[in-house]
Amino acid sequence: MSDFARHIRKSPFFIITLLILAKAELFRLTVFSAMSPLRLFIDFLSVLLISCLIELVPQRRLRQILYGVYWVLATFALLGATVYYRYFGSVATYTTLFELNQLPAVKSSVKSLITPMEALYLVDLLAFVVYAVVRRFRKRSRSGMLAYEPIRKSFKLPYSLATALVALTLISSVFAVRASADTPNELKRAELVGFSNYQASVIWNAFSAKREKPEIPMKDVPATKQALESKVQSAFASTSATNSTKGSETPAYFGSQKGKNLVMVQLEATQNFVIGLSVAGQEVTPVMNGLVKESLYFPQVFQQIGQGNTSDAEFMANTSIYPTGVVAMSKGYSNKDLPSLPKLFGNLGYTTMTLHPNEVTFWDRDKMYPALGFQTYYDKPYYTNDHFNSFGASDEELYRVGLQKLKEAAGSGNSFYAQFVSLSSHHPFEIPEDKQELTLPEDIAGTQLGNYLQAVHYTDKALGKLIQGLKDEGLWDNTVLVLYGDHFGLQEKDNDPADVSQKLGIDYHSKITRFNIPLIVHASGLEAARVERTGGQVDILPTLANLFGLSWSEDEFIPFGRDLLNADRNVIGMRYYLPTGSFFNDDILFIPGKGFEDGTAYSLKTHEQVTDFSQYKSDYEYILEWMKLSDEYVKQLPKHN
Ligand code: GP9
Ligand code: MN
């Protein structure tokens, strides 16, 4: 061990370059499950670039420190990105660092994502630390004092060679990044150019996007949107939710819920497969199952969140704008005057509020809620902490307080729009024992799947209390209740689809079933129906706008979803948890490769792979342009005061 450590101290250039390269390859193997001599060479050049830059520093001591920093930073960046990939299925970038302050609140989630494999990233650093401590200890016991022993001779690249290598490796990195710039799929891009080149390219793109003029000026957004809609299918033009009152015929359901209250509950980590599911003779979600029988139920809706997870789902449901995927929308766009559902209702004299039992600063909601135009928010301090999970209060407590607020709002004589964001079924789904009411078979109990079912069962039960409360307060008949899931719950790494399928007696697909969330709209007098149209979280606002008869002009608002009750066809984009260019239409889930042709498609009906998907090429081209348009739109929105 001491030889290894001495080498690091004497000739860090070789050994640290090699160690970081080894870790870059470990990352490649874990994330992309593939390695090739060409990719290894590209990684080598990018690792070498930093080492050679350090070699240009003349002071030996400073060089040593920089190597140490390089070693530690690269190790933790790659290790962190590996764990991050396991949850998000995306390669972390510098913007992920903005979320580090949230780590303490989700430490149990992070812990459950770490595997023993991660130790491989750390062995060399640990060995070095042990060596350094032992060496110091020995020295102290010999001389009775601490002393730094300078290394008199250490290896250093000749200045001219280091300069030449910097130039060469820099050119090769720029070349690799440029060659992959046309690949929309971020995962593929990261795989092609390697971790550090990918980081450099993301930073460069963000920097140049700031300086460049918008590609589609605001005044051209409506026309571009219209053109895109008709490009995919002329039917889109007539079902566009730009302004529901604009079409020649009145859309179905238009204004049927006008003037009623809206209570919209975003259910944490609730996937659609739990609806109607029974385990060992017990219904997992009896309350929602009952509701479905008397509601509009949309079983083919999918998550579309980006880096902002729960908060992105809130953002989308209230704006019908796609998350850019580059940053949590709450962090990146809360300075904007966001067109939104709370504002549309607010303009009609509604009282608007949002309720969530976590700290409001989590995901910068303290900035997002005002930007969305919610008049009031009720966060952590409003709830009695019943220590349900690491965030604090339970859903029952959320609804207890919420019902009081709804009662007060109703008392003022105004209609209200209240959004609830539930939290009790948060990953890793470990809820208090006395709240676990399902009796699960042995092979499910105690697994993540078992914990998930228990947590969702609790979420459902708490929801029942909200519904009962609304009935008791006499609000039920005049309130539209909307439920939807924010994103998947079951982690891919802990739940083999075949195993889940076998245990639950369903056909669980690792992507289609995982990203499928429920959407339920209940209103007294609204006839129950199962609406099979494919949809996403961007479609929630246009669908509700139609039901409530809300309208607007293009200057005020440009939503990027569709009214699911009137659309004849739908294509929705997904990025971040799947690479950019992925989409769901009414038939398939498509995931691109480098482009369309080398992509993969799965039938939504059978979950089987579809080999001939050429007919959907226009959907692929459309969704890329559509999401770009949404990005251009949100970027150009004016700042709010
Ligand atoms: C906490 C909640 C966390 O406020 O948003 O949920 P997550 O975003 O991790 O799903
Ligand atoms: Mn969530």
Side-chain angles (χ1 to χ4, degrees):
M1 188 222 291
S2 64
D3 270 1
F4 154 79
R6 210 171 301 125
H7 268 103
I8 289 181
R9 296 187 65 221
K10 292 205 163 186
S11 53
F13 171 72
F14 292 109
I15 193 131
I16 288 186
T17 305
L18 283 179
L19 285 173
I20 295 177
L21 178 62
K23 292 176 199 201
E25 295 322 283
L26 179 60
F27 176 78
R28 207 172 251 294
L29 269 180
T30 345
V31 171
F32 308 120
S33 318
M35 248 176 87
S36 75
L38 177 63
R39 300 294 149 222
L40 175 72
F41 187 59
I42 291 177
D43 288 345
F44 170 65
L45 292 178
S46 62
V47 175
L48 190 64
L49 170 59
I50 315 266
S51 300
C52 289
L53 278 172
I54 298 176
E55 283 297 300
L56 291 177
V57 174
Q59 298 86 347
R60 188 175 49 211
R61 183 78 182 123
L62 182 58
R63 267 201 321 276
Q64 279 185 330
I65 292 172
L66 287 174
Y67 273 118
V69 171
Y70 182 27
W71 191 14
V72 171
L73 281 186
T75 299
F76 284 99
L78 289 163
L79 192 160
T82 304
V83 176
Y84 187 86
Y85 176 81
R86 221 166 266 141
Y87 187 91
F88 288 89
S90 269
V91 176
T93 67
Y94 72 99
T95 55
T96 321
L97 297 175
F98 305 159
E99 271 114 54
L100 282 183
N101 62 325
Q102 296 180 180
L103 273 184
V106 289
K107 58 177 183 291
S108 50
S109 291
V110 178
K111 232 165 65 198
S112 78
L113 290 168
I114 295 174
T115 70
M117 258 276 294
E118 273 71 85
L120 286 177
Y121 282 108
L122 297 171
V123 255
D124 53 342
L125 276 177
L126 287 175
F128 186 76
V129 169
V130 171
Y131 160 78
V133 171
V134 169
R135 199 171 150 275
R136 234 160 215 243
F137 181 73
R138 279 211 191 127
K139 197 162 249 330
R140 188 188 284 179
S141 54
R142 248 187 281 139
S143 64
M145 58 179 282
L146 271 171
Y148 170 71
E149 180 205 338
I151 300 168
R152 282 179 228 300
K153 274 192 196 144
S154 72
F155 174 84
K156 180 174 176 345
L157 273 191
Y159 197 77
S160 52
L161 181 58
T163 314
L165 282 175
V166 165
L168 207 77
T169 49
L170 193 63
I171 290 169
S172 71
S173 284
V174 170
F175 184 77
V177 167
R178 291 293 293 267
S180 69
D182 292 341
T183 307
N185 179 338
E186 304 81 357
L187 273 179
K188 259 284 170 261
R189 225 163 54 224
E191 183 182 350
L192 292 174
V193 302
F195 184 77
S196 60
N197 283 335
Y198 179 65
Q199 299 302 325
S201 74
V202 171
I203 294 170
W204 176 257
N205 288 347
F207 182 68
S208 45
K210 275 222 167 101
R211 287 175 313 165
E212 276 166 20
K213 275 201 188 145
E215 272 182 67
I216 307 157
M218 197 55 136
K219 65 174 178 34
D220 296 342
V221 172
T224 315
K225 184 185 173 195
Q226 201 63 35
L228 273 177
E229 281 177 329
S230 38
K231 189 173 151 190
V232 163
Q233 198 193 31
S234 51
F236 280 177
S238 61
T239 59
S240 161
T242 303
N243 185 338
S244 309
T245 55
K246 266 194 165 177
S248 49
E249 284 170 41
T250 308
Y253 297 92
F254 182 76
S256 64
Q257 306 306 314
K258 210 179 180 88
K260 282 194 183 176
N261 304 313
L262 169 62
V263 170
M264 181 147 81
V265 186
Q266 177 173 300
L267 298 163
E268 175 63 31
T270 303
Q271 295 178 219
N272 186 54
F273 79 90
V274 296
I275 307 287
L277 180 75
S278 283
V279 179
Q282 306 145 92
E283 283 183 88
V284 177
T285 57
V287 173
M288 285 193 268
N289 297 348
L291 211 59
V292 160
K293 290 189 193 126
E294 45 188 63
S295 303
L296 296 173
Y297 171 46
F298 304 80
Q300 206 76 277
V301 172
F302 297 91
Q303 73 168 60
Q304 295 177 290
I305 53 165
Q307 207 180 103
N309 252 12
T310 311
S311 63
D312 271 2
E314 294 173 71
F315 180 90
M316 249 183 297
N318 283 294
T319 61
S320 191
I321 295 171
Y322 275 84
T324 60
V326 180
V327 67
M329 296 309 276
S330 56
K331 299 213 178 229
Y333 294 90
S334 287
N335 59 344
K336 298 284 184 183
D337 189 2
L338 298 167
S340 71
L341 198 56
K343 288 182 188 170
L344 289 173
F345 277 121
N347 292 342
L348 297 175
Y350 276 56
T351 301
T352 63
M353 64 180 93
T354 181
L355 307 97
H356 179 56
N358 194 15
E359 307 274 2
V360 75
T361 48
F362 202 96
W363 288 127
D364 282 18
R365 288 181 172 104
D366 53 332
K367 300 186 183 76
M368 181 173 78
Y369 290 153
L372 287 176
F374 278 112
Q375 292 155 6
T376 326
Y377 60 73
Y378 297 102
D379 76 323
K380 197 166 187 140
Y382 289 89
Y383 309 93
T384 306
N385 189 354
D386 52 8
H387 304 283
F388 187 87
N389 59 20
S390 59
F391 293 107
S394 64
D395 282 1
E396 281 172 282
E397 173 63 9
L398 164 69
Y399 299 136
R400 183 190 69 78
V401 173
L403 277 162
Q404 286 170 11
K405 303 298 169 197
L406 298 186
K407 213 166 97 181
E408 285 163 24
S412 76
N414 293 341
S415 299
F416 56 79
Y417 162 35
Q419 168 147 54
F420 288 83
V421 180
S422 85
L423 197 49
S424 290
S425 42
H426 193 273
H427 179 260
F429 319 117
E430 286 153 10
I431 66 170
E433 247 170 61
D434 61 328
K435 302 286 180 193
Q436 302 180 18
E437 292 188 354
L438 292 173
T439 309
L440 295 173
E442 244 175 51
D443 60 341
I444 298 182
T447 63
Q448 187 183 85
L449 175 61
N451 293 342
Y452 179 68
L453 296 176
Q454 295 284 14
V456 170
H457 184 66
Y458 170 79
T459 293
D460 182 76
K461 184 181 170 177
L463 198 63
K465 293 204 170 172
L466 172 68
I467 294 172
Q468 193 52 52
L470 289 169
K471 288 179 179 166
D472 294 346
E473 296 301 336
L475 294 169
W476 183 244
D477 288 339
N478 199 34
T479 297
V480 177
L481 176 68
V482 176
L483 310 174
Y484 67 93
D486 65 345
H487 51 71
F488 70 94
L490 294 179
Q491 299 297 305
E492 217 175 356
K493 93 167 173 53
D494 302 300
N495 296 281
D496 171 42
D499 191 48
V500 177
S501 301
Q502 183 262 319
K503 284 178 174 155
L504 300 182
I506 59 171
D507 181 9
Y508 189 91
H509 188 272
S510 67
K511 296 189 168 57
I512 298 173
T513 323
R514 188 154 60 98
F515 297 136
N516 184 199
I517 51 164
L519 172 63
I520 301 169
V521 178
H522 179 278
S524 302
L526 196 62
E527 205 182 317
R530 192 181 160 95
V531 185
E532 297 282 351
R533 175 78 48 238
T534 283
Q537 288 157 326
V538 286
D539 299 322
I540 294 173
L541 185 150
T543 307
L544 295 180
N546 179 51
L547 283 165
F548 281 88
L550 308 176
S551 58
W552 53 82
S553 72
E554 272 162 356
D555 302 341
E556 287 174 277
F557 199 179
I558 301 186
F560 287 86
R562 296 194 172 77
D563 166 15
L564 296 176
L565 293 166
N566 285 283
D568 293 333
R569 196 177 169 247
N570 205 4
V571 182
I572 61 142
M574 179 167 171
R575 51 189 171 192
Y576 213 68
Y577 280 87
L578 286 179
T580 295
S582 303
F583 65 82
F584 291 88
N585 63 20
D586 293 319
D587 308 322
I588 59 162
L589 157 64
F590 175 79
I591 304 167
K594 259 190 92 177
F596 178 74
E597 279 72 21
D598 62 340
T600 318
Y602 302 95
S603 155
L604 296 187
K605 235 183 230 126
T606 65
H607 294 179
E608 296 293 327
Q609 205 166 321
V610 176
T611 41
D612 181 12
F613 48 81
S614 50
Q615 55 173 311
Y616 302 114
K617 183 156 187 186
S618 57
D619 285 355
Y620 172 72
E621 291 165 347
Y622 153 81
I623 207 65
L624 286 175
E625 289 185 57
W626 188 252
M627 292 195 298
K628 189 165 116 193
L629 189 64
S630 171
D631 296 351
E632 292 287 310
Y633 174 67
V634 72
K635 278 181 202 156
Q636 293 176 73
L637 285 171
K639 299 219 158 110
H640 77 82
N641 317 315

